Amino acid sequence: AQSVTQLGSHVSVSEGALVLLRCNYSSSVPPYLFWYVQYPNQGLQLLLKYTTGATLVKGINGFEAEFKKSETSFHLTKPSAHMSDAAEYFCAVSFIQGAQKLVFGQGTRLTINP
Amino acid sequence: NAGVTQTPKFRVLKTGQSMTLLCAQDMNHEYMYWYRQDPGMGLRLIHYSVGEGTTAKGEVPDGYNVSRLKKQNFLLGLESAAPSQTSVYFCASSYDRGPYEQYFGPGTRLTVT
C-alpha cells in the first residue's frame, strides 16, 4: 500500500535560517507529489507539485522541493525562513494509474523563532 | 470563482442530534471529498465521490453519510452525533484526471457536547 511519511511532527527554526521539511513515500508506481500549507484556522493551500519533468519544483512564497526517485523523497526547503511561514505543512501523493485519492502525511508544524 | 465553499463555518451539536454539512464547488470538478482533521492525526478521508450520483467510503466512514445529487454539491450528514465526531471538517474537489490536485474549502468546526 502507498504511504507518506513526514519526519518530525514539529520543526522549529530561527527567522532567516534554512527550512527543511522531510517527506518520504512508498510506492511501486510513479507518483505525483504535493506540498500543502495550512495557516491557522484556514483550509489547505497548494504550495507546489511535482508531476513530470524537472525534478526541482518551485512553489509559492520562496519554497521549493526536489523529487529524488532513488531516495523516494520529496523534501521541502526554503533558504531563509520568515515569520509568516509559521504554519502546518502536509506532503501528499497521488498516482498516475488508478486511485483518485491523495494520500497525506501526518503533517509538520513549523515554528519560526524571532 | 468562489472555489470550494462550506456551510456552516461553526456548529455546536448535542449528542444524538443530526446535521448536514454542505460543500459547493464552482470549478466543474468531477471528484469531491470529505475529510476530518484532528490534532496529531492529519487529514483522514471520510467519503468521496467520483461523479454525480456516486459515493464511496474512505478511511473513516462510520457515523457519516454523503450524497452527491448535483455535480457541484457534496453533502455530509451526521445522523446521530457523538462527541467523537468533534472535529474540523474539510471538503475538497479535484479534476477527474491526474495529478488529482485537490482544492480545499475553509473548513467547518463542529463541536458535539
Side-chain angles (χ1 to χ4, degrees), chain A residues 32 34 36 38 41-44 46 49-51 88 90 94-96 98-102 104-107, chain B residues 31 33 35 37 40-43 45 48 50 57-58 90 94 98-107 109:
Chain A
Y32 298 119
F34 308 85
Y36 283 85
Q38 185 182 30
N41 300 314
Q42 295 187 26
L44 278 69
L46 183 68
K49 64 183 176 185
Y50 168 79
T51 55
E88 187 148 21
F90 293 92
S94 68
F95 303 96
I96 296 172
Q100 307 89 352
K101 296 173 284 184
L102 291 183
F104 283 89
Q106 293 303 302
Chain B
Y31 297 170
Y33 312 82
Y35 294 91
Q37 184 179 33
M41 303 190 76
L43 286 160
L45 183 65
Y48 65 103
V50 298
K57 293 181 179 180
F90 288 100
S94 75
Y100 306 114
E101 169 187 337
Q102 291 184 15
Y103 296 79
F104 283 81
R109 187 173 294 275

Side-chain angles (χ1 to χ4, degrees), chain B residues 16-30:
Chain B
Q17 288 184 321
S18 64
M19 78 162 294
T20 300
L21 282 66
L22 171 64
C23 176
Q25 53 94 4
D26 61 2
M27 295 173 282
N28 202 34
H29 286 166
E30 285 294 332

Side-chain angles (χ1 to χ4, degrees), chain A residues 8-53:
Chain A
S9 59
H10 191 189
V11 171
S12 182
V13 302
S14 298
E15 191 173 18
L18 171 72
V19 175
L20 171 60
L21 304 182
R22 300 178 187 273
C23 173
N24 289 88
Y25 67 91
S26 65
S27 170
S28 57
V29 297
Y32 298 119
L33 295 156
F34 308 85
W35 276 99
Y36 283 85
V37 60
Q38 185 182 30
Y39 298 105
N41 300 314
Q42 295 187 26
L44 278 69
Q45 302 174 31
L46 183 68
L47 202 54
L48 51 78
K49 64 183 176 185
Y50 168 79
T51 55
T52 59

Side-chain angles (χ1 to χ4, degrees), chain B residues 40-100:
Chain B
M41 303 190 76
L43 286 160
R44 293 184 290 171
L45 183 65
I46 305 171
H47 287 280
Y48 65 103
S49 168
V50 298
E52 182 178 315
T54 73
T55 63
K57 293 181 179 180
E59 183 185 357
V60 289
D62 293 342
Y64 305 94
N65 56 76
V66 287
S67 65
R68 183 99 181 268
L69 298 179
K70 292 183 178 181
K71 184 177 181 179
Q72 64 268 32
N73 295 338
F74 195 29
L75 278 63
L76 177 71
L78 286 72
E79 292 184 346
S80 180
S84 61
Q85 295 177 304
T86 293
S87 187
V88 181
Y89 292 86
F90 288 100
C91 177
S93 67
S94 75
Y95 292 107
D96 59 343
R97 57 192 181 279
Y100 306 114

